[in-house]
Amino acid sequence: MSTIAIARPESLTVAPSSLMRAAVFVAPGLLEVREVPRPVAGPGDAIIRVTLTTICGTDVHILEGEYPVRPGLVIGHEPVGVIAELGEGVTGYAVGDRVLVGAITPCGQCAACLSGHLSQCGHGKGYEALGGWRFGNTIDGAQAEYLRVPNAQANLAKIPDELRDEQVVLLADIASTGISGAEGGRVRPGDSVVVFAQGPIGLCATAGARLMGAALVIGIDGDETRLAMAKRLGADVVLDYRTTDVVSEVRRLTGGGADVAIEALGTQETFESCLRSLRPGGVLSSLGVYSGKLALPYDAFGAGLADVEIVTTLCPGGKERMRRLMALVQHGRLDLTPLLTHRYPLDRIAEAYELFASRRDGVMKVAITP
Ligand SMILES: NC(=O)c1ccc[n+]([C@@H]2O[C@H](COP(=O)([O-])OP(=O)(O)OC[C@H]3O[C@@H](n4cnc5c(N)ncnc54)[C@H](O)[C@@H]3O)[C@@H](O)[C@H]2O)c1
Ligand SMILES: [Zn+2]
Ligand SMILES: [Zn+2]
């Protein structure tokens, strides 16, 4: 990754109380912790004081300039916080309530939302591809002291008193996404499921497959720490793609092919291996973000006649999704706290980015405290 610099706070030109510190994308390779105007709530908005957040692989792509966002944008999309201000028309919440907000913030009112495609929300109109992803993409994000939550009524999920911030912060994105990989694959009790890649997303897909009742979960990666974590989170068998012919081994272990294959990396190789690992009529549930072209070799899906299904899912968001994920934690079904391997204050977030992007020191996810 290119060098990352932390800038000194710019001189204060407005009253200090109306400023906040935030991680700002300046240019590819350059992230600055700056003083920026603190957001105010418009109608339907809420302002939350962020108490915990984290860094996503997507943020690294943004920082490296691979996913373009406008310079000056506050990045990050995984917020836990306390309501500091409520805009006109937001009811049922009070200043001081602890809330989790999903990475995806649907409006809850448009055709996409009301048809169940909240992540493709058109903000009051029809569908917009990826439209539900706004934080740190099209509007200021969560790596800041304060965050404006649009469509607050649809997006603020109150955190049960007994849950700590650390227990819920990973639900906003990686758990919602990873578990949706198992849901998209329609995993049934007794199924065999293979998950290609055990990064944060794949690990949550592994946990999701187990939650949905898979009898056999096979996790694939090439990193010892991640393979060990996969076992801890629900994989029965782990395979190292560097030393094993993983497709043959999956076919052998499953007696002819897995019922569901989850792609959690976003490469031609893993996509193809997913197809080749499936039984006829199986489901390929794809979570990875691909670049360039993705090819479908005819033999890998029976020349189009193998009844294979390919399903893609963008991280589900909205308050009901967050409530359900928190219920899993509250009742002891899901514990992702082992993935929070490191902690940094917001002022040192550039160091956290560097560590996270390098995957040194067994890092999985980094807790950031504003
Ligand atoms: N669908 C969504 O809503 C959504 C949300 C967030 C992220 N993503 C995407 O999910 C993917 C995974 O994200 P992440 O943060 O977990 O990634 P990551 O980069 O942290 O982890 C990737 C893992 O893949 C492993 N790997 C590399 N080559 C492999 C191979 N050939 N076979 C098996 N494993 C291999 C690496 O060792 C690593 O552990 C990315 O494409 C990301 O952009 C999708
Ligand atoms: Zn993300
Ligand atoms: Zn909508």
Side-chain angles (χ1 to χ4, degrees), residues 7-199:
R8 293 214 191 93
E10 289 171 342
S11 58
L12 306 184
T13 49
V14 269
S17 62
S18 62
L19 292 175
M20 66 167 185
R21 297 181 64 67
V24 173
F25 170 79
V26 179
L30 185 60
L31 175 83
E32 288 182 355
V33 176
R34 280 188 183 170
E35 301 269 344
V36 299
R38 186 172 139 176
V40 287
D45 294 339
I47 304 300
I48 66 168
R49 178 173 58 77
V50 179
T51 52
L52 196 67
T53 186
T54 177
I55 300 173
C56 175
T58 307
D59 299 327
V60 176
H61 293 308
I62 290 174
L63 181 54
E64 289 174 346
E66 292 160 11
Y67 182 93
V69 299
R70 82 178 149 76
L73 188 78
V74 177
I75 50 185
H77 49 259
E78 297 162 277
V80 180
V82 174
I83 297 177
E85 189 193 343
L86 287 166
E88 201 184 306
V90 185
T91 59
Y93 297 93
V95 168
D97 283 349
R98 291 175 65 225
V99 289
L100 169 67
V101 186
I104 301 294
T105 46
C107 76
Q109 301 296 327
C110 69
C113 284
L114 295 173
S115 304
H117 295 285
L118 280 74
S119 304
Q120 316 298 334
C121 167
H123 315 299
K125 302 189 199 77
Y127 289 74
E128 182 187 324
L130 279 59
W133 177 30
R134 304 184 70 188
F135 287 145
N137 179 24
T138 57
I139 65 173
D140 280 338
Q143 290 163 11
E145 289 179 292
Y146 291 87
L147 172 72
R148 182 180 72 86
V149 180
N151 304 111
Q153 197 72 48
N155 287 296
L156 299 174
K158 288 187 203 175
I159 302 173
D161 286 342
E162 66 265 37
L163 296 185
R164 291 175 293 114
D165 289 1
E166 287 75 8
Q167 291 174 284
V168 301
V169 68
L170 301 183
L171 306 177
D173 185 357
I174 65 164
S176 189
T177 303
I179 293 172
S180 80
E183 294 165 283
R186 297 197 306 280
V187 173
R188 291 186 303 170
D191 271 353
S192 55
V193 180
V194 58
V195 184
F196 278 84
Q198 297 294 311

Side-chain angles (χ1 to χ4, degrees), residues 197-203 206 219-233 235 238-239 264-265 339 341 355-360 362-365:
Q198 297 294 311
I201 300 284
L203 286 166
T206 294
I220 297 179
D221 206 285
D223 176 310
E224 304 293 338
T225 318
R226 291 174 177 214
L227 289 172
M229 191 62 82
K231 280 219 140 173
R232 191 164 167 186
L233 290 182
V238 293
L239 302 176
L265 182 61
L339 296 184
T341 52
L355 175 77
F356 181 69
S358 72
R359 293 202 207 130
R360 275 197 326 273
V363 64
M364 295 281 176
K365 289 287 274 186

Side-chain angles (χ1 to χ4, degrees), residues 168-368:
V168 301
V169 68
L170 301 183
L171 306 177
D173 185 357
I174 65 164
S176 189
T177 303
I179 293 172
S180 80
E183 294 165 283
R186 297 197 306 280
V187 173
R188 291 186 303 170
D191 271 353
S192 55
V193 180
V194 58
V195 184
F196 278 84
Q198 297 294 311
I201 300 284
L203 286 166
C204 290
T206 294
R210 173 52 70 91
L211 278 168
M212 292 193 65
L216 173 65
V217 182
I218 306 169
I220 297 179
D221 206 285
D223 176 310
E224 304 293 338
T225 318
R226 291 174 177 214
L227 289 172
M229 191 62 82
K231 280 219 140 173
R232 191 164 167 186
L233 290 182
D236 301 284
V237 179
V238 293
L239 302 176
D240 187 332
Y241 74 89
R242 297 168 308 175
T243 52
T244 311
D245 175 352
V246 286
V247 170
S248 322
E249 191 55 12
V250 170
R251 297 189 72 85
R252 191 187 68 78
L253 287 165
T254 56
D259 296 299
V260 179
I262 302 176
E263 204 291 339
L265 182 61
T267 65
Q268 174 72 38
E269 183 191 342
T270 44
F271 182 82
E272 219 172 298
S273 295
C274 278
L275 275 180
R276 294 184 198 284
S277 299
L278 282 176
R279 63 159 167 80
V283 185
L284 190 175
S285 178
S286 172
L287 296 173
V289 177
Y290 305 88
S291 53
K293 280 189 182 164
L294 191 58
L296 264 179
Y298 81 99
D299 60 305
F301 74 135
L305 303 176
D307 289 353
V308 163
E309 252 184 276
I310 298 174
V311 180
T312 68
T313 314
L314 169 60
C315 174
K319 66 182 178 186
E320 171 60 6
R321 176 70 172 178
M322 293 304 117
R323 184 198 67 75
R324 284 173 175 273
L325 293 170
M326 286 193 285
L328 289 172
V329 176
Q330 195 178 5
H331 299 294
R333 298 285 196 281
L334 180 68
D335 176 14
L336 297 176
T337 54
L339 296 184
L340 281 177
T341 52
H342 295 72
R343 180 181 278 276
Y344 283 87
L346 178 66
D347 279 343
R348 289 175 52 206
I349 197 169
E351 285 169 60
Y353 266 91
E354 198 277 323
L355 175 77
F356 181 69
S358 72
R359 293 202 207 130
R360 275 197 326 273
D361 200 16
V363 64
M364 295 281 176
K365 289 287 274 186
V366 182
I368 304 290

